[in-house]
Amino acid sequence: MRRYHTLRFDIWLCLALSMLAAMGTAKLAGLVADSTYGAYVEEHTVSAGEVGGQAGDDVFRAQSVADLLSHDTFTIVSPGIQYCNRGAGFYDNMYMHAVTLPSGELVAAVINSDGLQKTGKDIYSGDTILPVGRVVYEDLTQNTYFIDQIEYLEPLSRRDFYIDMAGRGSKLNEEDYRKILTLLTEVLTVLLCFPLLHMLGSRLGIFPYFFPPREKKPKKRKDDMWD
C-alpha cells in the first residue's frame, strides 16, 4: 500500500506567507541592484598596467615558465583564441583557462576579459595580448575535480601555481548581478520569516509547536518551605 506524506497546513501557510514576503523584498533588492551596479563596476574596473588590466608595450612578454617565475608582473601573447580553447575549470570560485606559453608549456590562468587586447580583424586572426598577470603559488592538485576539468586535453606543465590575470577586475554583468542579489534576498527572507511566523502562530495558539515549551515548575510558597 502506497503512503503519501503531506506537509501540515501550518507549514504550508507559513511557507506561502514567507514566499509572499520574499517577492516584496526581491523587488526592493532589484531596485538596490540597479542603483548600486555602477559603483560595483567602478570598483571592479582595473586600470591599464595593473594586474588584470590591459598590458602596455612596457609590460614584459613572458615566453616560458621560467619567465613567469622571474618577473613580478608580465603578460602573455596568445595566437587568436588559443588562450581559451585548451581546457578550463572552476577552482575556488574562479574560472581558469589552460594557457599555452610560446615555449609550449601549459599553465592555469584566471583572466579578466575586459583586459584582453586583440590585434587581428576578428577573434580568430592576429594575436591576443592577455592582461597583466602575476604568479600565485597554490597546490592545484588539492581540487581533483578542477584538475580533471582543465586537463581533459593535456596535463598542465605546473600544478603548484596559477596566473592571476584578473586582480580585482572580475565582475558580473548587470543581469547576473541583479539575479544573484535578488535570489540571496529571497532565500534569506524565507529563512527568516518562516520560523518567525510559525513561532508567532504557535504562541497565539493557532499552530501546534514544533518544540513544545517546557512547563514551568510552580513556585514554592513560603508556607510550604516550613513543612
Side-chain angles (χ1 to χ4, degrees):
M1 182 177 178
R2 183 177 296 179
R3 294 182 179 180
Y4 295 92
H5 298 278
T6 58
L7 291 177
R8 293 182 341 210
F9 172 75
D10 55 310
I11 296 177
W12 277 116
L13 181 59
C14 289
L15 279 175
L17 292 174
S18 299
M19 288 188 284
L20 188 63
M23 292 173 62
T25 56
K27 287 186 178 181
L28 292 175
L31 295 175
V32 172
D34 293 340
S35 63
T36 59
Y37 185 71
Y40 167 79
V41 170
E42 184 177 350
E43 182 182 352
H44 290 80
T45 298
V46 185
S47 302
E50 295 181 5
V51 172
Q54 292 188 348
D57 295 335
D58 58 330
V59 179
F60 179 74
R61 268 60 175 164
Q63 304 292 313
S64 64
V65 168
D67 286 344
L68 300 179
L69 301 180
S70 60
H71 289 76
D72 293 331
T73 57
F74 47 79
T75 187
I76 299 169
V77 179
S78 178
I81 59 170
Q82 187 187 70
Y83 69 93
C84 65
N85 63 6
R86 299 297 297 276
F90 280 98
Y91 181 88
D92 196 21
N93 296 322
M94 297 180 293
Y95 190 64
M96 294 193 190
H97 292 283
V99 175
T100 304
L101 298 168
S103 63
E105 295 167 296
L106 201 65
V107 293
V110 53
I111 300 171
N112 175 25
S113 58
D114 291 340
L116 298 171
Q117 299 175 79
K118 307 286 186 179
T119 62
K121 295 181 180 179
D122 53 51
I123 61 174
Y124 302 103
S125 63
D127 293 326
T128 300
I129 303 172
L130 301 187
V132 178
R134 65 184 181 92
V135 168
V136 177
Y137 288 98
E138 187 89 20
D139 182 8
L140 304 179
T141 61
Q142 292 181 350
N143 190 328
T144 55
Y145 181 68
F146 165 73
I147 291 296
D148 291 340
Q149 283 183 310
I150 201 168
E151 291 188 344
Y152 82 96
L153 284 178
E154 56 185 299
L156 297 171
S157 300
R158 295 285 293 265
R159 295 175 171 180
D160 59 334
F161 71 82
Y162 68 88
I163 303 174
D164 178 12
M165 289 184 161
R168 57 184 178 87
S170 295
K171 57 179 177 287
L172 301 168
N173 60 44
E174 187 169 5
E175 183 179 356
D176 289 339
Y177 178 80
R178 199 175 196 276
K179 282 182 179 179
I180 290 176
L181 189 58
T182 54
L183 179 61
L184 287 174
T185 302
E186 287 175 332
V187 171
L188 288 174
T189 300
V190 172
L191 291 177
L192 288 173
C193 285
F194 177 80
L196 291 176
L197 287 171
H198 198 278
M199 184 185 302
L200 179 62
S202 299
R203 291 192 174 185
L204 293 175
I206 302 173
F207 305 143
Y209 281 100
F210 282 137
F211 304 102
R214 294 180 180 178
E215 294 183 1
K216 294 182 179 180
K217 294 181 179 180
K219 294 182 178 180
K220 290 185 177 181
R221 294 179 304 176
K222 290 184 179 180
D223 295 342
D224 296 338
M225 295 174 65
W226 301 101
D227 292 344

